[in-house]
């Protein structure tokens, strides 16, 4: 199925199957098409291509009313300016089951009672909906959706803006609905941990396409999340809940096994350092970098990973100030890594720093491009490099070897 | 405050039946009493007899004959005027509730989409050129047609990809209204001695309405109100937002379209015979919502009866006030309605 708004295609080639009584989570970054998917399933917007089937029946051929009898939605935002009581709101859930002039019958009121029981909203029945707290409101909106007696319930970020206790309440309710009431639920989530813990299966959306789908274990891998969200995370199984836990890696790495607070300063540039940063971050080393300029790929990667760095404006020689700052960072580290950067007059200060540092601490070069091929300073860089080598520069071929070196080195 | 609100919802739940029955009785009482009030006071027993005498079955209860003068005053002068007023009030009340529901905007009223300006233009054109193509009732017929033409134009302008976004509808209604009002002003500026007739019509009045007027507006208004009533549940759902209504299986665009057409037809019928009577369509639905809540199944009938009662009493005042000639009832509705509305707004924390 594909769909979008007007000319703009938001979802393309979505191929998804959700089993009965499953709690299926849809995850993905902002604007990846999660809400659009929910709206397309409920046929609020029409698919531009393909079909949506409900119990094998083409939803294109169902009337709005028929759909509302089988599918109900808990939207992301639900509000009304009118002073409806909670019971009014929940009773409105019976709308699709009533004829144009029909009034709710005894049976409908029984269903309303039942869903109030299920969602623990009976005590709120006569309260004005507008005065409820966020968690209470969400329970009422779910009750309204349940009063439709759907076989499929769609929820759009049902736990947004709720405190942790209320989140739990709603999630447990959702779980109960699939297990005890035999409802099928499709819900979008922002919180990957909650999705991992409560959902039977997941779909990970990326820019309107399905990136991956399957069990939480299949979908929530460090690689998938890096690819879709562009963030380094660590995925671990939590023993107390036996569910996956996704932790974004930040500048300090309390959870990391190897990191053990070794500080590394990376001298790079021209895209030579970008492959080094993610694995170093992932292993939990405290990484700094410099001097980098904003148009550099390395700069962007450092930014993305939250690596603190020294910056210099593009196309100008490294300033005295930046060089000093860089030296300070390098001094604070246990190891300095330098990549095989091409050197010109603009970034020669980076090489000078490495030469200075090699007297203080280990300096490791990653990459084996000979200096002759990357000297654009008419010999000045080669001069300094020789000095550096003489003082004990270590060299490794690639990232893997570098990681081995660091791991086996005692700082 | 919170407890107050809770209680008001409780009250309203148990009270709505009483309130609706009360409104029906109040309307009947209003009609009888108003038939007696006037420069010549006719005792209620006589009024009751004269009216009941004409109702099959009930006529057995009373024994005529009644004084001929009284019969003439009640049957030919007062009663048609009162019935016209009641129908117009009911139409404006229900149309107001419907339009406020469609727009989900408390400031919306039956005239928002341009019906009144269109009708006014029709009336002013007829008066200015002295048209009598359709006989005595040319003015009513032309203003009705102009009103419908206006709403169709507004509807066309607001239509985007087969949908009517209410924001655009509201704005195009306002734009067209202003445009038509400018034309109306031009005619008035050039009108000369017909100016007073135009002003009087635009301000709205029920003076001299007869049974033909009643016959003209009774069918469209009653059918229109019933039609609107049949959308009660859909409109309730739409108060939760259009997308939420769709989740409940409501055909939102279709509902909006029919409700707009029906509300415009009954408003146009009302305006055609009474001129532009303001405030009824704005405040009656609000007052009723405060009393009985937002559910339209109750709100529509309540607004119909409430509007009828309010307008008949406003007209009684217009008839009775010792001024030079009769003042337009539209002035009374605004003078009485606005302060009462403000009082209600201040008295209760009111979320419409």
């Amino acid at each position: 199925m594909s769909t979008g708004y007007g000319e703009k295609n938001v979802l393309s080639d979505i191929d998804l199957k959700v089993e009965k009584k499953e709690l299926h989570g849809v995850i993905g970054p902002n604007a990846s098409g999660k809400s659009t998917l929910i709206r397309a399933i409920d046929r609020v917007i029409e698919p531009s291509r393909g079909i949506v089937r409900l119990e094998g029946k083409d939803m294109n051929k169902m009337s709005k009313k028929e759909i509302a009898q089988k599918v109900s939605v808990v939207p992301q935002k639900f509000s009304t300016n009118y002073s409806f009581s909670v019971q009014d709101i929940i009773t409105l859930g019976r709308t699709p089951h009533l004829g144009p002039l029909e009034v709710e019958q005894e049976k409908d009121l029984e269903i309303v009672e039942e869903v109030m029981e299920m969602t623990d909203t009976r005590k709120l029945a006569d309260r004005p909906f507008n005065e409820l707290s966020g968690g209470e409101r969400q329970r009422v909106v779910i009750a309204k959706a349940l009063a439709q007696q759907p076989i499929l319930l769609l929820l759009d970020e049902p736990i947004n803006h709720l405190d942790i206790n209320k989140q739990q309440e709603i999630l447990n309710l959702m779980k109960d609905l699939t297990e005890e009431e035999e409802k099928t639920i499709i819900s979008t989530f922002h919180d990957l941990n909650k999705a991992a813990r409560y959902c039977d299966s997941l779909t990970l959306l990326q820019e309107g396409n399905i990136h991956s789908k399957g069990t939480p274990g299949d979908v929530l891998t460090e690689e998938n999340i890096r690819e879709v969200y562009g963030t380094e995370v660590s995925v671990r199984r939590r023993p107390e809940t036996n569910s996956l836990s996704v932790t974004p890696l930040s500048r300090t790495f309390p959870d990391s096994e190897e990191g053990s607070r070794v500080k590394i300063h990376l001298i790079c540039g021209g895209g030579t350092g970008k492959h080094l940063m993610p694995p170093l971050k992932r292993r939990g080393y405290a990484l700094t970098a410099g001097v980098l300029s904003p148009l550099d790929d390395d700069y962007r990667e450092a930014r993305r990973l939250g690596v603190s760095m020294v910056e210099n404006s593009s196309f100008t020689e490294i300033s005295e100030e930046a060089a000093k700052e860089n030296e300070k960072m390098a001094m604070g580290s246990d190891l300095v890594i330098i990549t095989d950067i091409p050197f010109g007059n603009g970034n020669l200060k980076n090489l000078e720093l490495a030469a200075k540092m090699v007297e203080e601490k280990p300096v490791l070069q990653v990459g084996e491009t000979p200096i002759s091929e990357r000297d654009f300073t008419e010999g000045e860089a080669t001069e300094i490099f020789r000095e550096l080598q003489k003082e004990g520069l270590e060299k490794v071929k690639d990232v893997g070897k570098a990681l081995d070196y660091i791991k086996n080195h005692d700082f | 405050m919170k407890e107050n609100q809770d209680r008001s919802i409780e009250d309203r739940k148990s009270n709505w039946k009483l309130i609706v029955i009360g409104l029906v009785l109040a309307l009947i009482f209003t009609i009888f009493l108003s038939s007696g009030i006037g420069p010549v006071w006719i005792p209620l027993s006589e009024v009751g007899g004269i009216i009941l005498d004409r109702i099959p079955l009930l006529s057995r209860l009373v024994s005529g004959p009644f004084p001929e003068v009284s019969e003439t005053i009640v049957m030919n002068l007062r009663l048609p005027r009162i019935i016209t007023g009641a129908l117009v009030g009911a139409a404006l009340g229900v149309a107001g509730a419907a339009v406020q529901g469609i727009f989900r905007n408390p400031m919306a009223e039956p005239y928002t989409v341009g019906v009144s300006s269109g009708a006014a233009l029709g009336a002013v054109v007829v008066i200015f050129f002295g048209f009598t193509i359709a006989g005595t009732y040319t003015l009513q017929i032309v203003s009705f047609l102009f009103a419908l033409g206006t709403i169709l134009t507004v509807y066309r302008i607001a239509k985007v990809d087969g949908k009517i976004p209410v924001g655009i509808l509201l704005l195009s209604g306002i734009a067209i209204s202003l445009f038509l009002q400018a034309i109306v002003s031009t005619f008035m500026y050039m009108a000369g001695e017909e100016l007073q007739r135009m002003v009087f019509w635009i301000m709205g009045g029920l003076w001299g309405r007869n049974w033909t007027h009643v016959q003209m507006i009774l069918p469209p208004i009653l059918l229109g109100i019933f039609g609107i009533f049949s959308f009660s549940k859909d409109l309730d759902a739409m108060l939760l937002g259009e997308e939420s209504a769709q989740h409940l299986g409501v055909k939102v665009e279709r509902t909006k379209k029919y409700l707009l057409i029906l509300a415009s037809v009954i408003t146009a019928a009302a305006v055609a015979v009474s001129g532009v009577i303001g405030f009824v369509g704005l405040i009656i639905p609000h007052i009723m919502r405060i009393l009985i809540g937002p559910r339209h199944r109750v709100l529509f009938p309540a607004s119909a009866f409430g509007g009828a009662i309010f307008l008949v009493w406003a007209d009684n005042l217009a008839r009775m006030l010792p001024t030079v000639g009769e003042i337009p009832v539209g002035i009374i509705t605004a003078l009485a309605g606005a302060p009462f509305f403000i009082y209600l707004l201040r008295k209760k924390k009111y979320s419409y």
Side-chain angles (χ1 to χ4, degrees):
Chain A
M1 182 260 306
S2 300
T3 191
Y5 305 98
E7 296 288 290
K8 194 169 164 265
N9 220 34
V10 178
L11 293 176
S12 31
D13 302 324
I14 298 295
D15 178 12
L16 180 62
K17 185 176 179 179
V18 176
E19 296 295 333
K20 248 189 160 146
K21 291 188 266 177
E22 207 171 55
L23 174 49
H24 185 86
V26 179
I27 52 176
N30 292 330
S32 58
K34 299 191 296 294
S35 299
T36 306
L37 181 59
I38 294 286
R39 301 175 71 176
I41 297 172
D42 194 46
R43 299 299 315 280
V44 172
I45 52 172
E46 317 258 318
S48 55
R49 216 151 44 76
I51 47 174
V52 181
R53 287 183 196 279
L54 181 67
E55 294 185 312
K57 201 173 162 194
D58 183 355
M59 289 180 76
N60 269 324
K61 300 202 175 95
M62 293 164 74
S63 72
K64 291 237 185 283
K65 202 166 168 169
E66 265 179 273
I67 293 174
Q69 287 169 2
K70 295 192 163 167
V71 183
S72 63
V73 180
V74 175
Q76 207 176 116
K77 291 190 200 94
F78 182 93
S79 67
T80 177
N81 289 327
Y82 293 82
S83 64
F84 282 112
S85 71
V86 165
Q87 189 162 13
D88 286 341
I89 298 264
I90 299 174
T91 309
L92 277 174
R94 296 304 299 158
T95 307
H97 295 273
L98 299 174
L101 285 173
E102 200 184 339
V103 181
E104 292 87 14
Q105 309 294 313
E106 197 64 33
K107 182 194 83 191
D108 298 298
L109 299 178
E110 273 167 28
I111 291 164
V112 169
E113 281 292 314
E114 220 170 90
V115 299
M116 287 202 291
E117 190 70 37
M118 231 184 275
T119 53
D120 193 23
T121 47
R122 177 172 294 162
K123 58 181 187 293
L124 305 173
D126 289 324
R127 295 268 305 278
F129 176 77
N130 287 335
E131 304 213 334
L132 302 183
S133 69
E136 290 170 335
R137 270 176 195 232
Q138 196 64 317
R139 289 211 311 271
V140 172
V141 180
I142 292 175
K144 181 196 69 109
L146 289 174
Q148 285 174 248
Q149 293 192 305
I151 52 174
L152 172 64
L153 192 62
L154 304 169
L155 298 97
D156 198 359
E157 302 197 2
I159 54 171
N160 262 15
H161 312 300
L162 297 181
D163 67 40
I164 190 159
N165 162 38
K166 296 294 173 319
Q167 290 188 355
Q168 220 60 23
E169 215 174 271
I170 299 292
L171 288 164
N172 286 329
L173 174 61
M174 286 164 67
K175 199 79 198 160
D176 289 350
L177 287 173
T178 55
E179 283 168 2
E180 285 159 32
E181 305 293 328
E182 312 210 324
K183 308 282 183 202
T184 307
I185 295 184
I186 301 178
S187 174
T188 64
F189 287 101
H190 253 314
D191 186 330
L192 301 180
N193 291 320
K194 295 289 187 317
R197 168 136 184 232
Y198 285 89
C199 294
D200 302 309
S201 57
L202 291 176
T203 296
L204 176 58
L205 289 180
Q206 180 183 32
E207 288 165 10
N209 296 295
I210 292 184
H211 177 277
S212 41
K213 57 186 177 182
T215 63
D218 296 339
V219 175
L220 291 175
T221 63
E222 292 174 1
E223 285 70 27
N224 284 346
I225 292 169
R226 179 167 56 248
E227 277 171 37
V228 175
Y229 288 86
T231 309
E232 286 296 323
V233 295
S234 118
V235 177
R236 299 271 179 279
R237 196 162 278 281
R238 282 207 171 276
E240 59 272 44
T241 57
N242 191 33
S243 67
L244 292 177
S245 145
V246 179
T247 316
L249 298 178
S250 55
R251 278 176 219 172
T252 52
F253 306 89
D255 283 348
S256 177
E257 295 139 10
E258 287 176 51
S260 62
R261 293 191 190 81
V262 173
K263 297 190 189 104
I264 298 176
H265 185 70
L266 180 63
I267 298 174
C268 58
T272 55
K274 69 178 178 202
H275 305 296
L276 264 166
M277 289 181 219
L280 288 175
K281 279 294 271 191
R282 198 156 54 230
R283 279 166 181 72
Y285 297 108
L287 192 60
T288 56
V291 176
L292 292 170
S293 58
L295 289 177
D296 200 323
D297 275 356
D298 288 346
Y299 175 91
R300 254 168 264 152
E301 184 72 0
R303 248 292 144 78
R304 187 173 76 76
L305 297 176
V307 172
S308 53
M309 61 180 151
V310 183
E311 314 180 17
N312 194 59
S313 47
S314 306
F315 308 120
T316 60
E317 199 181 322
I318 292 173
S319 66
E320 240 9 275
E321 215 177 43
K324 210 165 257 157
E325 182 68 14
N326 203 22
E327 189 179 333
K328 220 164 85 192
M329 265 191 186
M331 283 301 287
S333 66
D334 304 307
L335 168 73
V336 172
I337 296 181
I338 186 163
T339 57
D340 50 354
I341 333 163
F343 285 107
N345 290 322
N347 64 350
L348 200 59
K349 289 206 175 76
N350 276 345
L351 184 60
E352 285 170 0
L353 176 67
K356 202 165 174 184
M357 283 303 117
V358 78
E359 296 169 18
E360 310 274 345
K361 55 191 70 184
V363 175
L364 178 71
Q365 177 180 301
V366 180
E368 292 185 324
T369 318
I371 187 69
S372 55
E373 284 180 60
R374 48 191 176 96
D375 182 0
F376 299 93
T377 59
E378 295 168 346
E380 217 181 324
T382 314
E383 197 65 45
I384 303 172
F385 189 75
R386 253 186 226 131
E387 192 66 32
L388 181 59
Q389 248 177 330
K390 210 167 66 196
E391 290 292 335
L393 174 72
E394 302 269 8
K395 280 199 232 171
V396 292
K397 188 168 93 228
D398 54 26
V399 180
K401 289 274 178 316
L403 292 171
D404 288 344
Y405 171 87
I406 301 165
K407 199 172 171 184
N408 298 325
H409 200 284
D410 199 4
F411 292 102
Chain B
M1 189 53 92
K2 198 162 189 158
E3 272 181 17
N4 267 338
Q5 276 251 333
D6 288 1
R7 219 177 306 133
S8 81
I9 278 188
E10 282 269 17
D11 285 353
R12 161 179 122 175
K13 223 169 88 180
S14 50
N15 283 354
W16 70 264
K17 277 179 194 151
L18 278 179
I19 289 176
V20 173
I21 293 169
L23 286 169
V24 176
L25 294 176
L27 179 61
I28 295 171
F29 177 72
T30 297
I31 291 173
F32 277 91
L33 191 58
S34 306
S35 302
I37 300 174
V40 181
W41 166 250
I42 298 170
L44 276 187
S45 55
E46 241 175 82
V47 174
I50 292 167
I51 296 176
L52 291 184
D53 198 26
R54 280 167 175 75
I55 302 173
L57 294 177
L58 292 181
S59 60
R60 269 182 249 159
L61 298 174
V62 292
S63 53
F66 302 98
E68 206 169 307
V69 190
S70 302
E71 286 230 30
T72 311
I73 292 177
V74 171
M75 290 314 298
N76 293 351
L77 295 178
R78 291 189 187 158
L79 203 52
R81 177 174 181 161
I82 290 163
I83 303 280
T84 306
L87 284 170
V88 168
L92 293 178
V94 171
V99 172
Q100 284 167 5
I102 298 169
F103 285 108
R104 292 188 299 286
N105 183 327
M107 296 312 291
E109 54 148 349
Y111 304 148
T112 302
V113 280
V115 177
S116 56
S117 312
L121 180 61
V124 167
V125 165
V126 170
I127 296 170
F128 188 85
F129 293 107
F131 286 144
T132 50
I133 339 158
T136 331
Y137 299 101
T138 306
L139 189 148
Q140 280 75 25
I141 293 165
V142 172
S143 70
F144 181 75
L145 293 177
F146 267 61
L148 289 188
T150 308
I151 170 71
L152 286 178
T153 310
V154 170
Y155 189 83
R156 274 281 173 81
I157 294 173
K159 200 163 181 169
V160 184
D161 296 334
K163 289 183 177 167
I164 307 288
V166 288
I168 295 178
L169 183 67
L170 191 72
L171 292 175
S172 48
I174 291 169
I176 293 288
S177 289
L178 291 174
F179 181 75
L180 295 181
Q181 275 161 27
I183 302 177
V184 167
S185 301
T186 312
F187 277 112
M188 288 170 75
Y189 180 70
M190 300 186 303
E193 57 188 29
E194 294 288 8
L195 179 62
Q196 203 199 343
R197 238 186 109 197
M198 292 181 180
V199 172
F200 198 87
W201 190 89
I202 287 174
M203 283 180 173
L206 294 164
W207 180 82
R209 298 299 178 264
N210 58 38
W211 288 112
T212 314
H213 290 111
V214 174
Q215 280 166 15
M216 278 165 54
I217 64 169
L218 185 76
I221 288 182
L222 285 190
L223 284 175
I225 288 178
F226 183 76
I228 289 175
F229 180 74
S230 73
F231 284 99
S232 298
K233 262 196 304 283
D234 302 293
L235 201 52
D236 283 347
M238 281 169 62
L239 294 187
L240 308 178
E242 291 188 7
E243 190 151 334
S244 287
Q246 285 190 49
H247 296 323
L248 290 170
V250 174
K251 294 184 184 109
V252 170
E253 291 305 322
R254 198 192 68 142
T255 304
K256 273 195 286 190
K257 187 166 94 185
Y258 287 140
L259 276 175
L260 263 179
I261 292 171
L262 290 167
S264 301
V265 166
I266 63 174
T267 307
V271 173
V273 297
S274 69
V276 186
I277 296 173
F279 255 90
V280 182
L282 177 66
I283 63 163
I284 291 298
H286 281 297
I287 293 171
M288 292 306 151
R289 251 183 234 113
I290 291 172
L291 292 175
I292 50 123
R295 300 210 69 177
H296 289 95
R297 192 183 302 154
V298 187
L299 182 64
F300 282 141
S303 297
F305 291 115
I309 294 166
F310 176 67
L311 190 56
V312 170
W313 279 107
D315 189 47
N316 288 345
L317 261 181
R319 288 194 286 146
M320 298 295 294
L321 281 181
T323 50
V324 191
E326 209 178 89
I327 63 168
V329 69
I331 292 179
I332 306 274
T333 56
L335 280 180
F340 182 52
F341 187 45
I342 292 166
Y343 162 75
L344 280 175
L345 280 178
R346 302 290 303 177
K347 190 181 152 218
K348 278 190 179 179
K349 186 171 152 257
Y350 169 47
S351 67
Y352 45 90

